[in-house]
């Protein structure tokens, strides 16, 4: 139902983990996701722990779905001295090419417990349907 557009994204993610460099607007980090079909919906679940709801942007243009989010540093008082900082900050992004069999006009989004869940209905034209078989009497003969 979707196609991966960047075969090197996993290599970028591993390099980011090794170097500790976080995402920027020009070079965002990847966000982990699951994608599966559930009944009549295609579901995409993206992990965004610690990201405020208003820092998430979801766009769809034709069949390209883009999710961007920014994890900002927590406001700290002047007398706070950071001892350890392992949680990545910065910009995260994911782009997915959606199949034409999905109804991009009716995507819904929910955000709970740090997981953004997108539900995309399967388009009516893509659902299985029965085709009736007509008999010989249903066809008209053309005489010339």
């Amino acid at each position: 139902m979707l196609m991966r557009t960047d075969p090197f994204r996993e290599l970028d993610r591993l390099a980011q983990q090794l170097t500790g460099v976080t995402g920027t607007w020009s070079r965002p980090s990847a966000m982990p996701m699951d994608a599966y079909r559930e009944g009549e919906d295609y579901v995409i679940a993206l992990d965004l722990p610690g990201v405020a709801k208003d820092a998430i942007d979801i766009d769809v243009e034709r069949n390209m779905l883009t999710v961007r989010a920014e994890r900002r540093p927590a406001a700290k008082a002047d007398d706070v001295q950071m001892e350890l900082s392992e949680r990545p900050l910065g910009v995260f992004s994911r782009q997915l090419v959606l199949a034409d069999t999905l109804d991009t006009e009716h995507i819904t989004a929910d955000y709970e417990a740090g997981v953004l869940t997108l539900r995309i209905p399967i388009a009516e034209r893509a659902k299985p349907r029965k085709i009736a078989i007509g008999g010989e009497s249903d066809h008209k003969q053309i005489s010339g």
Side-chain angles (χ1 to χ4, degrees):
M1 292 293 180
L2 61 97
M3 300 174 1
R4 295 178 188 249
T5 57
D6 186 359
F8 299 104
R9 181 160 305 262
E10 187 65 17
L11 290 174
D12 287 345
R13 186 185 66 75
L14 290 172
Q16 177 187 350
Q17 284 180 338
L18 292 173
T19 62
V21 176
T22 59
T24 64
W25 283 106
S26 61
R27 187 84 170 139
S29 300
M31 59 186 82
M33 69 170 239
D34 291 335
Y36 53 92
R37 183 172 176 165
E38 183 177 75
E40 298 298 314
D41 291 336
Y42 197 71
V43 180
I44 299 171
L46 299 139
D47 282 350
L48 294 169
V51 175
K53 188 176 179 178
D54 64 346
I56 301 171
D57 186 40
I58 307 165
D59 290 313
V60 64
E61 184 176 339
R62 295 187 187 188
N63 62 340
M64 177 68 74
L65 175 73
T66 304
V67 178
R68 291 177 87 72
E70 183 176 10
R71 184 179 300 131
R72 301 173 182 125
K76 304 232 184 325
D78 292 336
D79 62 342
V80 172
Q81 181 177 343
M82 183 63 77
E83 295 292 329
L84 179 65
S85 180
E86 293 181 345
R87 296 174 40 211
L89 301 174
V91 180
F92 302 85
S93 179
R94 196 75 186 239
Q95 278 194 316
L96 304 168
V97 177
L98 303 175
D100 291 335
T101 57
L102 298 175
D103 184 359
T104 58
E105 297 292 320
H106 295 97
I107 297 174
T108 61
D110 293 306
Y111 187 58
E112 186 176 334
V115 178
L116 175 66
T117 303
L118 304 173
R119 292 187 170 277
I120 310 166
I122 307 295
E124 285 298 320
R125 68 181 181 279
K127 293 179 183 174
R129 60 192 175 280
K130 295 285 185 183
I131 307 297
I133 301 172
E136 287 183 29
S137 60
D138 292 340
H139 298 299
K140 294 184 179 179
Q141 295 289 334
I142 300 175
S143 56

